[in-house]
Amino acid sequence: MTTIVSIQSAVAYGHVGNSAAVFPMQRLGVEVWPVYTVNFSNHTGYGAWKGPLIAADDVRAVITGMEERDAFGEVDAVLSGYQGGNEIGGVIIDAVARVKAANPSAIYACDPVMGNAKSGCFVHPDIPILLREKVVPVADLITPNQFELGFLTHTEPETLEDTLASVDKAREMGPSTVLVTSVLRPDRPEDTIEMLAVHGDEAWLVQTPHIPFKVNGSGDVTAALFTAHLLDSGRADDALARTVSSVYAVLKRTFESGRRELQLVQSQEEIAHPAMEFTPERVR
């Protein structure tokens, strides 16, 4: 059984961070050990929330407690997402090193959350630099959107060729696998959006209809599903096809519901059994 330690935020109401990532992975049959970095009432996009930001030392203590159970030898991957404070990055890097010491075949999957093309960076100014200089170089898999990929590599990817070149620069930093979660090349068909996965010597692009809204937590679900599927099959095309199929189904149901929060539970069958209606095209 695949086992993943997921170090992310948590909310009581709605689905972001671990509250978006854990259930989909569990629905795939993955053993997930969540470690929380915040415990908020709701995501911050509402403008108001309650609950604590968990101190880095407390996050580290939870991780140490798991290690003391001799559990790290079972871990196949560490997954991280939004990093609310400067000190969390160091905790995650340390956790990855300790997991890999116990299981050298384990991977670190990092979703380098910084912002997007529409809103720019929405994290503390120190976080993007921390991600670029310290966190991403120790990752095996990263899942940036096109904007975040550009920041990490000091590039401005637009075309598919630009994006592939930026991915190559990102891989030179350390990660062997890159999933670009939203490719918005200017020559794509109208009302579509794409994802690009690069793994080994292969690059795969998949296209879906664009659903005209933005919902918090979709990137967290995408990173979690792709990590789980890649660990299961080892194939980027298969992981991409399954991930895109499930994420599209979740977003479509959420859009049709008129609700602000991801309809994850309502979409659990599409998560567990993707329809596979989108076929990736090999572009390298």
Side-chain angles (χ1 to χ4, degrees), residues 15-27:
H15 299 288
V16 299
N18 267 337
S19 301
V22 172
F23 175 70
M25 290 191 289
Q26 290 174 329
R27 198 64 181 82

Side-chain angles (χ1 to χ4, degrees), residues 121-278:
C121 278
F122 50 64
V123 297
H124 188 280
D126 291 345
I127 297 298
I129 298 169
L130 172 71
L131 287 167
R132 183 168 59 202
E133 295 183 357
K134 295 185 178 180
V135 180
V136 167
V138 302
D140 302 284
L141 161 64
I142 59 172
T143 61
N145 59 37
Q146 200 171 22
F147 170 84
E148 292 161 341
L149 175 66
F151 182 90
L152 290 172
T153 57
H154 300 285
T155 61
E156 296 182 1
E158 292 187 1
T159 67
L160 177 59
E161 292 73 19
D162 291 341
T163 306
L164 284 167
S166 296
V167 167
D168 289 341
K169 287 182 178 294
R171 296 176 80 197
E172 290 171 2
M173 296 168 65
S176 57
T177 303
V178 177
L179 173 70
V180 187
T181 58
S182 57
V183 177
L184 298 169
R185 57 189 174 108
D187 58 341
R188 74 189 188 280
E190 189 175 357
D191 297 324
T192 64
I193 191 168
E194 296 167 321
M195 281 194 203
L196 173 71
V198 182
H199 179 67
D201 61 356
E202 299 179 356
W204 297 88
L205 186 74
V206 67
Q207 186 179 99
T208 71
H210 176 61
I211 300 173
F213 82 133
K214 176 71 173 73
V215 60
N216 295 77
S218 58
D220 303 320
V221 175
T222 301
L225 289 176
F226 186 80
T227 300
H229 285 307
L230 189 64
L231 285 170
D232 180 56
S233 71
R235 290 175 45 201
D237 59 333
D238 177 76
L240 182 60
R242 292 180 182 278
T243 299
V244 166
S245 181
S246 293
V247 171
Y248 180 78
V250 172
L251 292 177
K252 186 171 183 287
R253 178 172 277 110
T254 303
F255 179 69
E256 292 172 349
S257 74
R259 302 293 299 271
R260 182 168 178 172
E261 296 291 343
L262 287 171
Q263 301 297 286
L264 279 184
V265 176
Q266 297 85 344
S267 306
Q268 61 181 292
E269 285 304 313
E270 290 89 345
I271 292 170
H273 307 289
M276 307 294 282
E277 69 266 50
F278 305 109

